[in-house]
PDB file of all heavy atoms in Angstrom:
ATOM      1  N   GLN A  57       0.801  -1.224   0.001  1.00 81.00           N
ATOM      2  CA  GLN A  57       0.000  -0.033  -0.031  1.00 81.00           C
ATOM      3  C   GLN A  57       0.869   1.256   0.004  1.00 81.00           C
ATOM      4  O   GLN A  57       0.553   2.217  -0.679  1.00 81.00           O
ATOM      5  CB  GLN A  57      -0.944  -0.018   1.211  1.00 81.00           C
ATOM      6  CG  GLN A  57      -2.043  -1.049   1.154  1.00 81.00           C
ATOM      7  CD  GLN A  57      -2.783  -1.186   2.459  1.00 81.00           C
ATOM      8  OE1 GLN A  57      -2.379  -0.744   3.492  1.00 81.00           O
ATOM      9  NE2 GLN A  57      -3.937  -1.862   2.354  1.00 81.00           N
ATOM     10  N   PHE A  58       1.944   1.221   0.771  1.00 86.00           N
ATOM     11  CA  PHE A  58       2.894   2.357   0.827  1.00 86.00           C
ATOM     12  C   PHE A  58       3.524   2.547  -0.581  1.00 86.00           C
ATOM     13  O   PHE A  58       3.656   3.701  -1.068  1.00 86.00           O
ATOM     14  CB  PHE A  58       3.980   2.086   1.883  1.00 86.00           C
ATOM     15  CG  PHE A  58       5.099   3.059   1.861  1.00 86.00           C
ATOM     16  CD1 PHE A  58       4.928   4.370   2.295  1.00 86.00           C
ATOM     17  CD2 PHE A  58       6.361   2.680   1.349  1.00 86.00           C
ATOM     18  CE1 PHE A  58       5.987   5.268   2.281  1.00 86.00           C
ATOM     19  CE2 PHE A  58       7.404   3.590   1.328  1.00 86.00           C
ATOM     20  CZ  PHE A  58       7.189   4.889   1.781  1.00 86.00           C
ATOM     21  N   SER A  59       3.877   1.468  -1.238  1.00 82.00           N
ATOM     22  CA  SER A  59       4.490   1.546  -2.533  1.00 82.00           C
ATOM     23  C   SER A  59       3.433   2.096  -3.579  1.00 82.00           C
ATOM     24  O   SER A  59       3.815   2.859  -4.430  1.00 82.00           O
ATOM     25  CB  SER A  59       4.954   0.176  -3.024  1.00 82.00           C
ATOM     26  OG  SER A  59       5.558   0.220  -4.327  1.00 82.00           O
ATOM     27  N   THR A  60       2.199   1.765  -3.421  1.00 81.00           N
ATOM     28  CA  THR A  60       1.183   2.230  -4.287  1.00 81.00           C
ATOM     29  C   THR A  60       0.995   3.769  -4.174  1.00 81.00           C
ATOM     30  O   THR A  60       0.915   4.492  -5.165  1.00 81.00           O
ATOM     31  CB  THR A  60      -0.195   1.588  -3.957  1.00 81.00           C
ATOM     32  OG1 THR A  60      -0.101   0.143  -4.068  1.00 81.00           O
ATOM     33  CG2 THR A  60      -1.299   2.099  -4.890  1.00 81.00           C
ATOM     34  N   PHE A  61       0.974   4.220  -2.945  1.00 85.00           N
ATOM     35  CA  PHE A  61       0.856   5.670  -2.704  1.00 85.00           C
ATOM     36  C   PHE A  61       2.029   6.437  -3.251  1.00 85.00           C
ATOM     37  O   PHE A  61       1.830   7.468  -3.863  1.00 85.00           O
ATOM     38  CB  PHE A  61       0.684   5.925  -1.175  1.00 85.00           C
ATOM     39  CG  PHE A  61       0.638   7.389  -0.811  1.00 85.00           C
ATOM     40  CD1 PHE A  61      -0.531   8.125  -1.082  1.00 85.00           C
ATOM     41  CD2 PHE A  61       1.688   8.033  -0.229  1.00 85.00           C
ATOM     42  CE1 PHE A  61      -0.599   9.477  -0.752  1.00 85.00           C
ATOM     43  CE2 PHE A  61       1.627   9.400   0.103  1.00 85.00           C
ATOM     44  CZ  PHE A  61       0.465  10.115  -0.137  1.00 85.00           C
ATOM     45  N   SER A  62       3.242   5.887  -3.043  1.00 83.00           N
ATOM     46  CA  SER A  62       4.434   6.575  -3.582  1.00 83.00           C
ATOM     47  C   SER A  62       4.464   6.615  -5.085  1.00 83.00           C
ATOM     48  O   SER A  62       4.829   7.634  -5.712  1.00 83.00           O
ATOM     49  CB  SER A  62       5.714   5.889  -3.040  1.00 83.00           C
ATOM     50  OG  SER A  62       5.765   5.902  -1.624  1.00 83.00           O
ATOM     51  N   SER A  63       4.066   5.482  -5.696  1.00 79.00           N
ATOM     52  CA  SER A  63       4.026   5.393  -7.171  1.00 79.00           C
ATOM     53  C   SER A  63       3.065   6.401  -7.727  1.00 79.00           C
ATOM     54  O   SER A  63       3.308   7.081  -8.771  1.00 79.00           O
ATOM     55  CB  SER A  63       3.632   4.039  -7.639  1.00 79.00           C
ATOM     56  OG  SER A  63       4.583   3.079  -7.228  1.00 79.00           O
ATOM     57  N   PHE A  64       1.931   6.574  -7.065  1.00 84.00           N
ATOM     58  CA  PHE A  64       0.928   7.562  -7.507  1.00 84.00           C
ATOM     59  C   PHE A  64       1.455   8.980  -7.501  1.00 84.00           C
ATOM     60  O   PHE A  64       1.317   9.735  -8.483  1.00 84.00           O
ATOM     61  CB  PHE A  64      -0.309   7.496  -6.608  1.00 84.00           C
ATOM     62  CG  PHE A  64      -1.366   8.526  -7.010  1.00 84.00           C
ATOM     63  CD1 PHE A  64      -2.172   8.342  -8.131  1.00 84.00           C
ATOM     64  CD2 PHE A  64      -1.566   9.604  -6.162  1.00 84.00           C
ATOM     65  CE1 PHE A  64      -3.130   9.323  -8.442  1.00 84.00           C
ATOM     66  CE2 PHE A  64      -2.517  10.585  -6.504  1.00 84.00           C
ATOM     67  CZ  PHE A  64      -3.320  10.424  -7.614  1.00 84.00           C
ATOM     68  N   LEU A  65       2.156   9.405  -6.438  1.00 85.00           N
ATOM     69  CA  LEU A  65       2.725  10.725  -6.347  1.00 85.00           C
ATOM     70  C   LEU A  65       3.778  10.952  -7.436  1.00 85.00           C
ATOM     71  O   LEU A  65       3.737  11.998  -8.119  1.00 85.00           O
ATOM     72  CB  LEU A  65       3.374  10.905  -4.915  1.00 85.00           C
ATOM     73  CG  LEU A  65       2.421  11.001  -3.780  1.00 85.00           C
ATOM     74  CD1 LEU A  65       3.227  11.225  -2.489  1.00 85.00           C
ATOM     75  CD2 LEU A  65       1.495  12.186  -3.975  1.00 85.00           C
ATOM     76  N   PHE A  66       4.674  10.012  -7.615  1.00 80.00           N
ATOM     77  CA  PHE A  66       5.745  10.164  -8.649  1.00 80.00           C
ATOM     78  C   PHE A  66       5.179  10.144 -10.053  1.00 80.00           C
ATOM     79  O   PHE A  66       5.649  10.849 -10.942  1.00 80.00           O
ATOM     80  CB  PHE A  66       6.775   9.083  -8.475  1.00 80.00           C
ATOM     81  CG  PHE A  66       7.710   9.301  -7.313  1.00 80.00           C
ATOM     82  CD1 PHE A  66       7.694   8.453  -6.242  1.00 80.00           C
ATOM     83  CD2 PHE A  66       8.609  10.364  -7.322  1.00 80.00           C
ATOM     84  CE1 PHE A  66       8.541   8.659  -5.145  1.00 80.00           C
ATOM     85  CE2 PHE A  66       9.477  10.592  -6.224  1.00 80.00           C
ATOM     86  CZ  PHE A  66       9.415   9.735  -5.133  1.00 80.00           C
ATOM     87  N   ALA A  67       4.117   9.336 -10.258  1.00 82.00           N
ATOM     88  CA  ALA A  67       3.544   9.276 -11.602  1.00 82.00           C
ATOM     89  C   ALA A  67       2.865  10.605 -11.984  1.00 82.00           C
ATOM     90  O   ALA A  67       3.107  11.107 -13.082  1.00 82.00           O
ATOM     91  CB  ALA A  67       2.484   8.150 -11.640  1.00 82.00           C
ATOM     92  N   VAL A  68       2.088  11.162 -11.081  1.00 86.00           N
ATOM     93  CA  VAL A  68       1.438  12.423 -11.347  1.00 86.00           C
ATOM     94  C   VAL A  68       2.459  13.542 -11.536  1.00 86.00           C
ATOM     95  O   VAL A  68       2.356  14.301 -12.508  1.00 86.00           O
ATOM     96  CB  VAL A  68       0.474  12.807 -10.154  1.00 86.00           C
ATOM     97  CG1 VAL A  68      -0.031  14.211 -10.317  1.00 86.00           C
ATOM     98  CG2 VAL A  68      -0.667  11.839 -10.083  1.00 86.00           C
ATOM     99  N   MET A  69       3.492  13.599 -10.709  1.00 83.00           N
ATOM    100  CA  MET A  69       4.510  14.638 -10.814  1.00 83.00           C
ATOM    101  C   MET A  69       5.330  14.438 -12.089  1.00 83.00           C
ATOM    102  O   MET A  69       5.517  15.449 -12.820  1.00 83.00           O
ATOM    103  CB  MET A  69       5.441  14.590  -9.603  1.00 83.00           C
ATOM    104  CG  MET A  69       6.485  15.664  -9.623  1.00 83.00           C
ATOM    105  SD  MET A  69       7.516  15.701  -8.087  1.00 83.00           S
ATOM    106  CE  MET A  69       8.307  14.139  -8.132  1.00 83.00           C
ATOM    107  N   GLY A  70       5.759  13.222 -12.425  1.00 81.00           N
ATOM    108  CA  GLY A  70       6.571  13.046 -13.551  1.00 81.00           C
ATOM    109  C   GLY A  70       5.858  13.242 -14.912  1.00 81.00           C
ATOM    110  O   GLY A  70       6.356  13.973 -15.738  1.00 81.00           O
ATOM    111  N   ILE A  71       4.700  12.638 -15.045  1.00 83.00           N
ATOM    112  CA  ILE A  71       3.965  12.798 -16.324  1.00 83.00           C
ATOM    113  C   ILE A  71       3.494  14.249 -16.527  1.00 83.00           C
ATOM    114  O   ILE A  71       3.623  14.819 -17.593  1.00 83.00           O
ATOM    115  CB  ILE A  71       2.707  11.859 -16.339  1.00 83.00           C
ATOM    116  CG1 ILE A  71       3.226  10.383 -16.409  1.00 83.00           C
ATOM    117  CG2 ILE A  71       1.865  12.141 -17.557  1.00 83.00           C
ATOM    118  CD1 ILE A  71       2.120   9.392 -16.381  1.00 83.00           C
ATOM    119  N   GLY A  72       3.010  14.851 -15.445  1.00 84.00           N
ATOM    120  CA  GLY A  72       2.513  16.253 -15.538  1.00 84.00           C
ATOM    121  C   GLY A  72       3.640  17.208 -15.903  1.00 84.00           C
ATOM    122  O   GLY A  72       3.544  17.981 -16.853  1.00 84.00           O
ATOM    123  N   LEU A  73       4.726  17.129 -15.145  1.00 81.00           N
ATOM    124  CA  LEU A  73       5.875  18.023 -15.416  1.00 81.00           C
ATOM    125  C   LEU A  73       6.547  17.741 -16.743  1.00 81.00           C
ATOM    126  O   LEU A  73       6.961  18.666 -17.483  1.00 81.00           O
ATOM    127  CB  LEU A  73       6.931  17.892 -14.288  1.00 81.00           C
ATOM    128  CG  LEU A  73       8.084  18.884 -14.297  1.00 81.00           C
ATOM    129  CD1 LEU A  73       7.601  20.300 -14.221  1.00 81.00           C
ATOM    130  CD2 LEU A  73       9.061  18.578 -13.190  1.00 81.00           C
ATOM    131  N   GLY A  74       6.620  16.458 -17.075  1.00 79.00           N
ATOM    132  CA  GLY A  74       7.266  16.043 -18.339  1.00 79.00           C
ATOM    133  C   GLY A  74       6.520  16.562 -19.585  1.00 79.00           C
ATOM    134  O   GLY A  74       7.104  17.073 -20.504  1.00 79.00           O
ATOM    135  N   LEU A  75       5.172  16.437 -19.520  1.00 82.00           N
ATOM    136  CA  LEU A  75       4.356  16.968 -20.646  1.00 82.00           C
ATOM    137  C   LEU A  75       4.431  18.504 -20.761  1.00 82.00           C
ATOM    138  O   LEU A  75       4.489  19.031 -21.804  1.00 82.00           O
ATOM    139  CB  LEU A  75       2.889  16.522 -20.449  1.00 82.00           C
ATOM    140  CG  LEU A  75       2.638  15.035 -20.661  1.00 82.00           C
ATOM    141  CD1 LEU A  75       1.193  14.679 -20.318  1.00 82.00           C
ATOM    142  CD2 LEU A  75       2.932  14.588 -22.062  1.00 82.00           C
ATOM    143  N   TRP A  76       4.426  19.152 -19.576  1.00 83.00           N
ATOM    144  CA  TRP A  76       4.526  20.612 -19.565  1.00 83.00           C
ATOM    145  C   TRP A  76       5.831  21.136 -20.110  1.00 83.00           C
ATOM    146  O   TRP A  76       5.882  22.104 -20.866  1.00 83.00           O
ATOM    147  CB  TRP A  76       4.320  21.095 -18.084  1.00 83.00           C
ATOM    148  CG  TRP A  76       4.415  22.579 -17.999  1.00 83.00           C
ATOM    149  CD1 TRP A  76       3.684  23.522 -18.652  1.00 83.00           C
ATOM    150  CD2 TRP A  76       5.301  23.307 -17.146  1.00 83.00           C
ATOM    151  NE1 TRP A  76       4.032  24.771 -18.250  1.00 83.00           N
ATOM    152  CE2 TRP A  76       5.029  24.673 -17.319  1.00 83.00           C
ATOM    153  CE3 TRP A  76       6.288  22.944 -16.209  1.00 83.00           C
ATOM    154  CZ2 TRP A  76       5.703  25.693 -16.622  1.00 83.00           C
ATOM    155  CZ3 TRP A  76       6.951  23.940 -15.497  1.00 83.00           C
ATOM    156  CH2 TRP A  76       6.662  25.264 -15.722  1.00 83.00           C
ATOM    157  N   MET A  77       6.956  20.398 -19.808  1.00 76.00           N
ATOM    158  CA  MET A  77       8.227  20.797 -20.249  1.00 76.00           C
ATOM    159  C   MET A  77       8.599  20.223 -21.631  1.00 76.00           C
ATOM    160  O   MET A  77       9.566  20.636 -22.272  1.00 76.00           O
ATOM    161  CB  MET A  77       9.326  20.313 -19.223  1.00 76.00           C
ATOM    162  CG  MET A  77       9.248  20.999 -17.877  1.00 76.00           C
ATOM    163  SD  MET A  77      10.390  20.246 -16.723  1.00 76.00           S
ATOM    164  CE  MET A  77      11.950  20.482 -17.582  1.00 76.00           C
ATOM    165  N   GLY A  78       7.844  19.257 -22.062  1.00 75.00           N
ATOM    166  CA  GLY A  78       8.160  18.598 -23.346  1.00 75.00           C
ATOM    167  C   GLY A  78       9.314  17.708 -23.267  1.00 75.00           C
ATOM    168  O   GLY A  78      10.064  17.521 -24.257  1.00 75.00           O
ATOM    169  N   SER A  79       9.544  17.077 -22.098  1.00 75.00           N
ATOM    170  CA  SER A  79      10.731  16.199 -21.874  1.00 75.00           C
ATOM    171  C   SER A  79      10.286  14.692 -21.962  1.00 75.00           C
ATOM    172  O   SER A  79       9.473  14.251 -21.139  1.00 75.00           O
ATOM    173  CB  SER A  79      11.356  16.467 -20.500  1.00 75.00           C
ATOM    174  OG  SER A  79      12.292  15.486 -20.201  1.00 75.00           O
ATOM    175  N   LEU A  80      10.894  14.029 -22.912  1.00 74.00           N
ATOM    176  CA  LEU A  80      10.575  12.567 -23.067  1.00 74.00           C
ATOM    177  C   LEU A  80      11.038  11.776 -21.841  1.00 74.00           C
ATOM    178  O   LEU A  80      10.380  10.883 -21.410  1.00 74.00           O
ATOM    179  CB  LEU A  80      11.258  12.036 -24.306  1.00 74.00           C
ATOM    180  CG  LEU A  80      10.602  12.338 -25.652  1.00 74.00           C
ATOM    181  CD1 LEU A  80      11.500  11.820 -26.793  1.00 74.00           C
ATOM    182  CD2 LEU A  80       9.215  11.714 -25.729  1.00 74.00           C
ATOM    183  N   VAL A  81      12.233  12.089 -21.340  1.00 72.00           N
ATOM    184  CA  VAL A  81      12.799  11.295 -20.281  1.00 72.00           C
ATOM    185  C   VAL A  81      12.041  11.468 -18.973  1.00 72.00           C
ATOM    186  O   VAL A  81      11.887  10.515 -18.196  1.00 72.00           O
ATOM    187  CB  VAL A  81      14.331  11.597 -20.116  1.00 72.00           C
ATOM    188  CG1 VAL A  81      14.550  12.942 -19.426  1.00 72.00           C
ATOM    189  CG2 VAL A  81      14.997  10.455 -19.290  1.00 72.00           C
ATOM    190  N   ILE A  82      11.549  12.617 -18.753  1.00 76.00           N
ATOM    191  CA  ILE A  82      10.746  12.912 -17.523  1.00 76.00           C
ATOM    192  C   ILE A  82       9.362  12.167 -17.654  1.00 76.00           C
ATOM    193  O   ILE A  82       8.856  11.623 -16.692  1.00 76.00           O
ATOM    194  CB  ILE A  82      10.577  14.372 -17.218  1.00 76.00           C
ATOM    195  CG1 ILE A  82      11.952  15.014 -16.883  1.00 76.00           C
ATOM    196  CG2 ILE A  82       9.591  14.618 -16.069  1.00 76.00           C
ATOM    197  CD1 ILE A  82      11.884  16.445 -16.560  1.00 76.00           C
ATOM    198  N   VAL A  83       8.790  12.244 -18.864  1.00 78.00           N
ATOM    199  CA  VAL A  83       7.574  11.505 -19.074  1.00 78.00           C
ATOM    200  C   VAL A  83       7.811   9.982 -18.923  1.00 78.00           C
ATOM    201  O   VAL A  83       7.003   9.269 -18.361  1.00 78.00           O
ATOM    202  CB  VAL A  83       6.978  11.773 -20.524  1.00 78.00           C
ATOM    203  CG1 VAL A  83       5.818  10.826 -20.825  1.00 78.00           C
ATOM    204  CG2 VAL A  83       6.535  13.209 -20.609  1.00 78.00           C
ATOM    205  N   PHE A  84       8.981   9.531 -19.387  1.00 74.00           N
ATOM    206  CA  PHE A  84       9.364   8.112 -19.232  1.00 74.00           C
ATOM    207  C   PHE A  84       9.433   7.756 -17.770  1.00 74.00           C
ATOM    208  O   PHE A  84       8.904   6.667 -17.318  1.00 74.00           O
ATOM    209  CB  PHE A  84      10.759   7.897 -19.884  1.00 74.00           C
ATOM    210  CG  PHE A  84      11.295   6.494 -19.693  1.00 74.00           C
ATOM    211  CD1 PHE A  84      10.903   5.465 -20.518  1.00 74.00           C
ATOM    212  CD2 PHE A  84      12.247   6.282 -18.736  1.00 74.00           C
ATOM    213  CE1 PHE A  84      11.459   4.230 -20.357  1.00 74.00           C
ATOM    214  CE2 PHE A  84      12.774   5.030 -18.586  1.00 74.00           C
ATOM    215  CZ  PHE A  84      12.383   3.961 -19.371  1.00 74.00           C
ATOM    216  N   ASP A  85      10.037   8.641 -17.003  1.00 73.00           N
ATOM    217  CA  ASP A  85      10.164   8.403 -15.552  1.00 73.00           C
ATOM    218  C   ASP A  85       8.780   8.379 -14.884  1.00 73.00           C
ATOM    219  O   ASP A  85       8.455   7.456 -14.101  1.00 73.00           O
ATOM    220  CB  ASP A  85      10.976   9.514 -14.892  1.00 73.00           C
ATOM    221  CG  ASP A  85      11.477   9.156 -13.529  1.00 73.00           C
ATOM    222  OD1 ASP A  85      11.039   8.087 -12.944  1.00 73.00           O
ATOM    223  OD2 ASP A  85      12.280   9.893 -12.938  1.00 73.00           O
ATOM    224  N   GLY A  86       7.870   9.281 -15.265  1.00 78.00           N
ATOM    225  CA  GLY A  86       6.546   9.356 -14.707  1.00 78.00           C
ATOM    226  C   GLY A  86       5.710   8.146 -15.172  1.00 78.00           C
ATOM    227  O   GLY A  86       4.927   7.568 -14.385  1.00 78.00           O
TER     228      GLY A  86
END
């Protein structure tokens, strides 16, 4: 459950920031 919560936070931050910046590697991370 802890891993699920952490994954959710990193996914939202990575995909959101990656799309905003236009960075493939950050989207990859998210």
Side-chain angles (χ1 to χ4, degrees):
Q57 290 171 344
F58 171 73
S59 181
T60 302
F61 177 73
S62 297
S63 295
F64 175 76
L65 289 180
F66 284 112
V68 171
M69 182 174 65
I71 294 176
L73 186 60
L75 290 174
W76 179 56
M77 293 174 57
S79 170
L80 282 176
V81 74
I82 293 179
V83 172
F84 175 82
D85 197 351

